[in-house]
Amino acid sequence: MIKLVVFFALLLAFAFGFSTLADTPGHMLLQWGETEYRVSLITGIVGLVVITFALMTLWTVLRLVFRLPSLVGFANRMRRQAKGQQAIARGLVAVGAGDRKLAQRYAQDSRRLLGNEPLALLLRAQSAQLAGDPKGAEDAFKAMLEAPETQSLGLRGLFIEAERRNDAPAARLFAEEALRRAPESAWAAEAMLGFKASARDWRGAIGIIDQNVSRRVIDRDEGRARRAVLLAAAAEETLETNPDEALSLAQEALRSMPGLVPAAEIAARRLSAKGDFAKATRILETAWKDNPHPDLAAAYLGVRHGDSALDKLKRARALMKLMPDARESRFAVARAAIDAREFQAAREALESLALEKPTVRACLLMAELEEIESGNQGLVRSWLARASRAPREPAWVAAGVVADGWSPVSPVTGRIGAFEWREPPQAPEAHLRARIDADRFEVPVVAPPVIEATSEPAVSQSPAPSDAGVSPKAASEPLDFHPIIPDDPGPEPTGTKPRTGFRFFG
């Protein structure tokens, strides 16, 4: 509405001005040599307007004529650009679908239509990778280095190709160059972190993590966890050459991750060597609450040098009070009880473990207990046989790889802090056999049933063929029933005390 009012107002003002101009007396004089042209004022103004419009039209036509070749070229370029963009779109779809031939055809079309434009180069590189042509992919990535906007992409592509051909020095050079040009590049920082960790340059790796956290490439919690792992690795490496520095590094790691087992073990053992038993105990107890681990239990039992076996058993029971439901608590008590020759306590802890899940470690400890307490070789062999087919205890596992000890870097993926203390991969039948073994315990022997003699005289019958060789005395005796126990453990040695609880047989 407002626009309509403004339009009519302008139209009214123009009409009023034109009417006023027409009523204004006067004339315009144009002299050309000896000739004079005299017209009224309104006619002269209208003539000037018409001449101006005609000149503008003529200039536009002439400009269009002179620019016609460039306009035709521009139209052709736009058409080629549209065809090239269409070829790139279809080529990327073909790459995603895994159509090698179609991807290569569209890559050639985009190269012909667009030359070395970034998306065309990307399509060329991806189609070459799909076709298994590393040389073509490297050429495309090298061409990307010429343009500032594609340098990072080109360096990443060259880095990946170098890794595929196992050329670690070249891959490291590309990652270093990418990090130098773009310090906030996440992939370059991660690659350099892996290279430094593989070279055991723990301090250099810690420096990269600090930079990544400050630049917000990784979040603060992840950076703190990785830094703790690297500090623990540095402490392990310097433990022999510089124990005091190792203690400082381990304590710094524990401030970020109190449950880190290797750091807690190193710190506790160094503090124990210095006589600071209270602080070593606190560190181990804190770590134990986060991650019950046999290394922590061993360090906790040996925190005081010269303690007796009974003292270590008391410490094991203190650990069990901290984490009563943890299997490692019962293992610690069982181990300490065997060393202290408290066989009843050891049997109680081990039998609960074997009933819950008879693993390799539980079976081996039961075999050791039977060997020391009774010397019953039948039971020892039974437990050793069960250990050969029992599931394994938790171990350090990273990317499906089971390691004998903790390591800061995964040997498969190169990721820092990948090792976890958990149950290793094992065959499903191991769990099934463990459950079956847990249900097979010794049945208490019941009194044999007594067959009462009848008043009727026995009828003399000829023995059946299957009874041949049985003496009349044996045939007349009452039958003695006993439970069938597989893998007969053999006779009990004389002079041993009766034992309570379950006894398992394989």
Side-chain angles (χ1 to χ4, degrees):
M1 185 66 181
I2 297 177
K3 292 182 179 180
L4 186 61
V5 171
V6 172
F7 172 74
F8 280 113
L10 292 176
L11 185 62
L12 182 62
F14 178 77
F16 178 75
F18 188 81
S19 174
T20 303
L21 187 61
D23 294 338
T24 301
H27 60 273
M28 295 181 64
L29 178 64
L30 177 60
Q31 184 176 0
W32 184 268
E34 299 294 334
T35 306
E36 292 184 357
Y37 298 93
R38 186 186 298 269
V39 295
S40 62
L41 183 60
I42 187 61
T43 303
I45 292 176
V46 172
L48 288 176
V49 171
V50 171
I51 292 173
T52 302
F53 181 75
L55 291 175
M56 291 176 62
T57 303
L58 179 62
W59 172 252
T60 303
V61 172
L62 291 176
R63 187 168 177 264
L64 179 62
V65 169
F66 285 112
R67 290 188 59 196
L68 188 60
S70 62
L71 292 175
V72 172
F74 177 75
N76 290 334
R77 288 195 301 273
M78 292 300 296
R79 186 165 56 253
R80 290 170 62 88
Q81 185 80 11
K83 289 183 178 180
Q85 295 294 336
Q86 188 178 30
I88 289 174
R90 292 178 177 177
L92 292 176
V93 171
V95 169
D99 193 337
R100 176 176 58 84
K101 293 184 178 180
L102 195 61
Q104 286 182 324
R105 194 187 80 184
Y106 284 126
Q108 293 174 357
D109 291 343
S110 64
R111 183 176 185 180
R112 176 175 52 82
L113 295 170
L114 301 177
N116 286 341
E117 287 196 6
L119 288 178
L121 290 173
L122 178 61
L123 178 58
R124 282 168 51 192
Q126 291 191 345
S127 62
Q129 289 177 335
L130 183 63
D133 181 15
K135 180 67 168 56
E138 288 184 10
D139 291 341
F141 287 127
K142 287 178 181 177
M144 293 181 186
L145 300 179
E146 300 176 0
E149 63 271 13
T150 57
Q151 283 180 353
S152 179
L153 179 58
L155 288 170
R156 177 166 172 76
L158 292 172
F159 167 79
I160 293 174
E161 291 298 324
E163 280 199 327
R164 285 182 176 178
R165 64 175 184 269
N166 294 324
D167 190 353
R172 178 163 185 164
L173 287 176
F174 292 132
E176 287 178 347
E177 181 65 16
L179 193 61
R180 185 185 65 82
R181 296 188 182 188
E184 68 282 355
S185 177
W187 74 265
E190 192 70 21
M192 286 305 303
L193 183 61
F195 285 126
K196 289 189 177 295
S198 299
R200 306 186 69 84
D201 182 8
W202 310 124
R203 298 187 183 278
I206 291 172
I208 291 180
I209 287 180
D210 292 340
Q211 292 177 4
N212 290 345
V213 171
S214 63
R215 293 179 179 133
R216 298 184 180 179
V217 176
I218 58 176
D219 58 64
R220 190 172 297 277
D221 292 338
E222 182 182 359
R224 186 182 297 111
R226 288 188 175 187
R227 194 173 192 277
V229 170
L230 293 174
L231 287 169
E236 271 192 347
E237 193 171 73
T238 59
L239 183 60
E240 297 295 332
T241 58
N242 194 343
D244 292 336
E245 184 181 0
L247 173 60
S248 177
L249 292 171
Q251 288 176 328
E252 186 178 355
L254 290 174
R255 282 193 287 269
S256 299
M257 190 182 294
L260 189 57
V261 173
E265 183 185 5
I266 292 172
R269 292 192 184 278
R270 289 308 309 153
L271 289 170
S272 177
K274 290 186 172 185
D276 195 348
F277 305 120
K279 191 170 183 180
T281 300
R282 286 196 303 270
I283 288 176
L284 290 172
E285 289 178 348
T286 302
W288 182 263
K289 292 176 183 178
D290 286 347
N291 188 8
H293 191 276
D295 291 347
L296 296 178
Y300 191 81
L301 298 185
V303 72
R304 288 181 180 273
H305 303 293
D307 277 357
S308 65
L310 290 176
D311 292 334
K312 292 181 180 180
L313 179 57
K314 291 179 181 179
R315 298 185 68 81
R317 286 170 174 162
L319 270 185
M320 191 169 185
K321 290 180 181 179
L322 294 176
M323 296 290 289
D325 296 330
R327 285 177 62 87
E328 287 299 331
S329 297
R330 286 173 282 174
F331 273 122
V333 170
R335 177 73 268 170
I338 291 175
D339 294 339
R341 306 190 70 81
E342 293 286 341
F343 300 127
Q344 182 64 28
R347 188 172 295 278
E348 290 175 359
L350 287 177
E351 285 178 350
S352 65
L353 290 169
L355 276 175
E356 178 184 314
K357 184 178 180 182
T359 57
V360 174
R361 190 176 171 199
C363 295
L364 292 177
L365 281 176
M366 283 297 297
E368 181 182 353
L369 177 60
E370 296 293 351
E371 175 75 23
I372 297 174
E373 182 183 7
S374 64
N376 190 328
Q377 295 303 314
L379 287 177
V380 173
R381 287 193 300 272
S382 176
W383 282 112
L384 291 177
R386 181 171 300 156
S388 66
R389 59 179 183 265
R392 292 176 290 178
E393 289 289 339
W396 290 113
V397 182
V401 176
V402 181
D404 294 334
W406 177 82
S407 178
V409 183
S410 168
V412 178
T413 62
R415 188 168 68 89
I416 296 174
F419 275 95
E420 299 176 349
W421 182 255
R422 60 181 178 85
E423 185 175 295
Q426 46 200 342
E429 57 267 20
H431 296 280
L432 177 61
R433 184 173 290 275
R435 290 196 298 270
I436 294 174
D437 288 345
D439 295 334
R440 296 169 62 187
F441 53 86
E442 182 183 6
V443 180
V445 178
V446 298
V450 178
I451 301 176
E452 298 179 356
T454 60
S455 60
E456 297 180 1
V459 179
S460 175
Q461 296 180 350
S462 60
S466 60
D467 296 335
V470 180
S471 64
K473 180 181 179 181
S476 63
E477 290 179 356
L479 299 177
D480 187 11
F481 296 95
H482 294 279
I484 298 175
I485 302 176
D487 296 339
D488 185 11
E492 290 283 347
T494 59
T496 58
K497 296 181 180 180
R499 293 169 298 187
T500 60
F502 294 121
R503 288 164 55 200
F504 297 87
F505 300 93

